[in-house]
Amino acid sequence: MGGKSGRHPRLEPLLARTLTLGTWLASAIILLGFGLTLIDGRAAGVTLITVGIAIFLLLPVLRVLLMLIVFVGEGDFRYGAIAALVLAIIALGAALGLRMGGLPG
């Protein structure tokens, strides 16, 4: 994925904008949740913090999904298939993790 001269020149700016906006959004939500927790101490703040962390965790998945959409939209089915395979692996890992009860602890 090299700069403007690469095979998919609109992909890098799209990914950069998406990841930047997602990072700012997740950070703002976590900060709001932290502030609410300090002020009130109720579960609403903790819930917001959890939502912010979930957004951070979903950003790489969103990145692969956007890559899949761009690759298929531009007719690059080889890279589209690779992105689809990566998404399938992520989904399988998530499903297995949920089925096995998450992290030990």
Side-chain angles (χ1 to χ4, degrees), residues 10-24 59 62 66:
R10 55 178 244 223
L11 181 60
E12 285 189 39
L14 175 65
L15 292 175
R17 274 194 314 272
T18 302
L19 295 177
T20 300
L21 290 174
T23 299
W24 279 106
L59 282 175
L62 179 59
L66 285 173

Side-chain angles (χ1 to χ4, degrees), residues 1-18 63 65-76:
M1 308 289 149
K4 297 186 186 256
S5 63
R7 288 177 71 173
H8 305 282
R10 55 178 244 223
L11 181 60
E12 285 189 39
L14 175 65
L15 292 175
R17 274 194 314 272
T18 302
R63 177 178 193 224
L65 180 62
L66 285 173
M67 292 172 78
L68 172 63
I69 291 168
V70 169
F71 291 148
V72 171
E74 293 182 355
D76 195 342

